[in-house]
Amino acid sequence: MRTTVSIPGIHCEGCSRLIQDVSSDFPEIQTVDFDINAKTVTLDHSDDFDFDAWKREIESLDGRYRVQQS
């Protein structure tokens, strides 16, 4: 499955590294692609991926990270 989300607070490579690090804790995620200019993240993941848990983890990184599903 593929899920694309908007995270308006991301603005640099450091942001993408943080999100990539958290995403690596979710074995259901196969790939994570970033478009920093568009402020989007695309996840390729299995059907049993717990999106809500991932969202909570991402949003806990920084108060500016608000995950919005497209």
Side-chain angles (χ1 to χ4, degrees), residues 1-4 23 29 31-32 41-45 49 54:
M1 291 186 69
R2 177 170 282 182
T3 301
T4 299
S23 298
I29 297 175
T31 61
V32 182
V41 177
T42 301
L43 307 168
D44 288 314
H45 56 85
F49 170 56
W54 179 84

Side-chain angles (χ1 to χ4, degrees), residues 6 10 18 33 41 63:
S6 173
I10 62 175
L18 282 172
D33 293 312
V41 177

